[in-house]
Amino acid sequence: HFPAGGESSRLDLLPALFPHLAAVQVEKVTHDGNGLLISARAKNTEACCAGCGTLSSRIHSRYRRHLQDVTCGQAPVTIDLEVRRWFCVNPDCLVGTFVEQVTGLAPPYARRTPALQRLLEHIALALAGRAGARLAARLGLTASRSLLIRLIRALPDPEIGPITTVGVDEFAKRRGHSYATILIDMTTHRPIEVLDDRTAQVFAAWLREHPGIQVICRDRAGGFAEGASDGAPEAIQVADRWHLWANLCTAVESIVRAHRADLAESTPETSPAEIALVPGAPDVPESRTAIRTRERHATIQALLADGRTHTEICKILGLADKTVRKFRLAATADELINGPRKCPRPIDRYGPYLHRRWNEGVHDAAQLHAEITAQGYTGSKRSVRRFVEPLRPYQQVTDLPAPPPKVRDATRWLTSHPDHLTDDETAKLSQLKERSTALARLAEHVTAFAQMMTGRTGAQHLEDWLTNVETDDDLPTLRAFARGIRRDQDAVTNGLTLPHSSGAVEGNVTRVKALKRQMFGRANLDLLRK
């Protein structure tokens, strides 16, 4: 407690610590277990009528207002402010009495000081409801999540000044059901508007309300292209380069998958788990599974020769429909025993290494498991033991060929910058192009497009690139990609020539998604506009 009189000089320091108290006279400061209580009153001797603006010095009555203020050393601060009600001396004024207002401290009907109001607004904008309430409690402030949300909603929408370059993209309010559109000022990279739909009509209407836009950065969605052409026909549309490259990579992966047979070296097909013996070694006895497969294939083929139908064979043998169909369609049992494995086991990729180490005299399954685990294998010792079990009767086995590259790896080699590949990957890519003329031509098309995109030479080279792709009959997926570019060629040409891109738009869409997750999907458009 700072009493008036001898300690009055200490009270004079309060306006320096609390600048917003400069307009009032601080009478005393009391500290209790709940924080600081500052008792104050207004200094002025007259007040201006809120109805007619006439100055009055006639006091009607007094009462006290309690305002929450910013904390002091994490201690809550309450201002006990005495305010006066005045008579209006103008006989023609409809307002008989009015209450004085302390500028910068006590707005009408407020329970918080402007300083605390601004602090809570910043917390709400940064962290929203629950997280903001937790931070406010740490700072010694009392604020519920609902209060913070109300503060955000009470803020005016940001003013939209003159805009020349705008970016547009969509995001899901509820995935698969409803979507919204976000608009970004590409000069400041700040959101300027959130539209409650993603249709071309809504986007075009907004463009008409904001004339003067010269450049529109967008993805390749047809709705935004149509809306831009309708709402701002004089604006330049720029297709985003990232989306172009992503679409090209998707086409490349589809082509590589279609030429999967070219990924493997032209060697006799041998399953990695199949024992390849050195010349002169005795034959390997067949497993029980192979013997059972041969017997079942012979039985089903015999029943078919007797005129039995597919359904009758299922009932006689008690086998599933798919099982009988598999044995019925196989010409020989070897197709079922030694056929290519559709889903190779994880250990099969380490088959060549295990065969080589076996020939070097390492026959301990635990040691082999430790070695391939160091190379990235995540399977169990039991899987390694099963793999080497058929090898135990033999000291030497033929080396298995290296497994073919995965479709994903081959796609990455074809779409990566040569400087970003290792020497081994570069060598494998060269071998791949030597084995497949189609993939070699695909690599040439991808390289030409990448050079055009990074060098921003779309205006000079895009037409020639499209012509070359359209005449390549072995790459139908890439031709489909070229046809898509033809439908939006002007915007694609601008995207491959001009410096504009939609990177800032994608970043803000990611931010909106984070806000929606943070607010458990309840971030309405009025909140997202702030």
Side-chain angles (χ1 to χ4, degrees):
H1 173 61
F2 295 112
E7 300 295 335
S8 61
S9 60
R10 298 186 181 182
L11 298 178
D12 295 337
L13 295 176
L14 286 176
L17 299 176
F18 300 91
H20 49 285
L21 298 179
V24 298
Q25 177 65 46
V26 179
E27 296 178 338
K28 63 179 180 179
V29 178
T30 305
H31 182 272
D32 55 18
N34 297 325
L36 295 178
L37 178 63
I38 300 177
S39 300
R41 59 180 175 83
K43 294 180 179 179
N44 55 309
T45 58
E46 57 183 4
C48 183
C49 176
C52 63
T54 303
L55 287 176
S56 174
S57 58
R58 294 180 57 195
I59 299 176
H60 175 275
S61 58
R62 292 178 174 85
Y63 68 96
R64 310 196 74 83
R65 296 179 60 182
H66 292 82
L67 302 170
Q68 298 297 320
D69 197 11
V70 293
T71 60
C72 181
Q74 294 189 353
V77 176
T78 303
I79 299 177
D80 184 15
L81 179 64
E82 180 186 277
V83 294
R84 294 164 289 184
R85 182 176 292 275
W86 303 76
F87 286 104
C88 182
V89 297
N90 183 4
D92 298 329
C93 182
L94 299 177
V95 178
T97 62
F98 62 91
V99 178
E100 63 184 347
Q101 303 297 333
V102 181
T103 305
L105 180 63
Y109 309 107
R111 297 184 179 182
R112 293 175 293 275
T113 63
L116 178 59
Q117 183 87 358
R118 289 191 298 269
L119 178 59
L120 292 178
E121 288 172 352
H122 291 318
I123 293 176
L125 289 174
L127 298 175
R130 286 183 173 85
R134 290 194 294 267
L135 177 60
R138 291 279 185 172
L139 298 177
L141 305 174
T142 301
S144 66
R145 62 181 181 86
S146 300
L147 169 63
L148 296 178
I149 296 300
R150 288 199 301 271
L151 291 178
I152 297 177
R153 286 198 162 99
L155 292 174
D157 290 341
E159 294 185 2
I160 302 177
I163 306 171
T164 58
T165 305
V166 65
V168 59
D169 201 359
E170 64 183 24
F171 65 91
K173 294 186 296 182
R174 184 184 176 194
R175 183 173 296 277
H177 294 271
S178 59
Y179 292 82
T181 299
I182 187 170
L183 299 168
I184 309 297
D185 184 353
M186 300 306 291
T187 303
T188 61
H189 293 180
R190 300 291 299 173
I192 54 178
E193 184 58 278
V194 179
L195 306 178
D196 192 14
D197 208 339
R198 60 173 178 177
T199 61
Q201 294 76 12
V202 172
F203 182 41
W206 186 90
L207 291 174
R208 295 190 195 98
E209 295 173 358
H210 300 82
I213 294 178
Q214 302 174 3
V215 179
I216 300 175
C217 300
R218 59 172 177 80
D219 56 17
R220 300 181 64 197
F224 293 141
E226 180 182 350
S229 300
D230 188 16
E234 70 285 352
I236 299 174
Q237 300 184 36
V238 180
D240 183 48
R241 289 184 293 276
W242 185 90
H243 288 90
L244 288 170
W245 186 252
N247 295 338
L248 177 62
C249 291
T250 301
V252 170
E253 182 177 3
S254 177
I255 295 172
V256 172
R257 182 170 286 106
H259 293 79
R260 186 195 301 266
D262 295 338
L263 299 181
E265 297 180 4
S266 57
T267 56
E269 294 185 1
T270 308
S271 174
E274 186 178 314
I275 304 174
L277 303 176
V278 295
D283 294 335
V284 182
E286 285 191 329
S287 63
R288 293 181 181 179
T289 302
I291 296 174
R292 185 182 59 186
T293 299
R294 293 187 184 278
E295 292 176 352
R296 181 171 293 175
H297 182 268
T299 302
I300 292 176
Q301 295 297 327
L303 292 173
L304 288 172
D306 291 340
R308 299 288 186 173
T309 64
H310 180 91
T311 304
E312 290 175 343
I313 295 176
C314 293
K315 293 180 179 180
I316 293 173
L317 301 180
L319 298 176
D321 177 78
K322 293 182 179 180
T323 303
V324 174
R325 181 182 297 108
K326 178 178 66 174
F327 281 88
R328 179 171 58 85
L329 297 178
T332 62
D334 292 333
E335 294 182 11
L336 303 174
I337 298 173
N338 301 324
R341 187 184 301 272
K342 295 182 179 179
C343 297
R345 299 172 300 176
I347 196 173
D348 291 342
R349 299 198 63 83
Y350 300 90
Y353 178 83
L354 294 175
H355 273 224
R356 179 169 59 83
R357 293 293 288 157
W358 185 273
N359 292 335
E360 293 174 357
V362 180
H363 298 170
D364 184 19
Q367 179 178 347
L368 293 173
H369 175 266
E371 293 180 3
I372 63 176
T373 298
Q375 300 177 18
Y377 178 65
T378 58
S380 63
K381 294 180 182 179
R382 185 178 182 182
S383 298
V384 179
R385 193 178 302 113
R386 287 177 175 175
F387 185 92
V388 301
E389 185 65 28
L391 307 180
R392 295 204 176 277
Y394 312 99
Q395 294 296 322
Q396 293 290 319
V397 295
T398 56
D399 293 334
L400 290 177
K406 297 180 180 179
V407 172
R408 181 180 301 177
D409 292 336
T411 303
R412 180 175 58 84
W413 300 341
L414 290 167
T415 57
S416 296
H417 193 282
D419 295 341
H420 298 166
L421 299 177
T422 64
D423 294 340
D424 182 60
E425 291 172 342
T426 302
K428 290 180 179 179
L429 177 59
S430 299
Q431 297 172 2
L432 181 62
K433 291 190 289 187
E434 291 176 358
R435 290 196 298 267
S436 174
T437 57
L439 295 182
R441 292 197 307 275
L442 175 63
E444 294 176 359
H445 294 314
V446 171
T447 300
F449 191 90
Q451 293 173 349
M452 178 172 50
M453 184 179 67
T454 56
R456 310 282 176 80
T457 60
Q460 294 83 15
H461 300 135
L462 179 59
E463 181 62 34
D464 294 339
W465 187 87
L466 292 174
T467 302
N468 293 334
V469 170
E470 290 169 345
T471 57
D472 199 331
D473 296 333
D474 292 339
L475 303 174
T477 306
L478 195 62
R479 295 205 311 274
F481 171 73
R483 287 195 298 270
I485 291 180
R486 286 289 190 191
R487 292 191 293 268
D488 198 21
Q489 187 167 349
D490 291 341
V492 173
T493 302
N494 294 330
L496 298 177
T497 306
L498 302 178
H500 304 288
S501 70
S502 299
V505 182
E506 298 297 333
N508 278 279
V509 169
T510 301
R511 173 176 170 271
V512 167
K513 293 178 180 178
L515 288 174
K516 289 180 67 62
R517 286 193 297 269
Q518 182 180 352
M519 300 184 70
F520 300 95
R522 294 193 293 271
N524 294 334
L525 297 183
D526 60 336
L527 297 177
L528 295 177
R529 288 191 179 100
K530 306 302 182 181

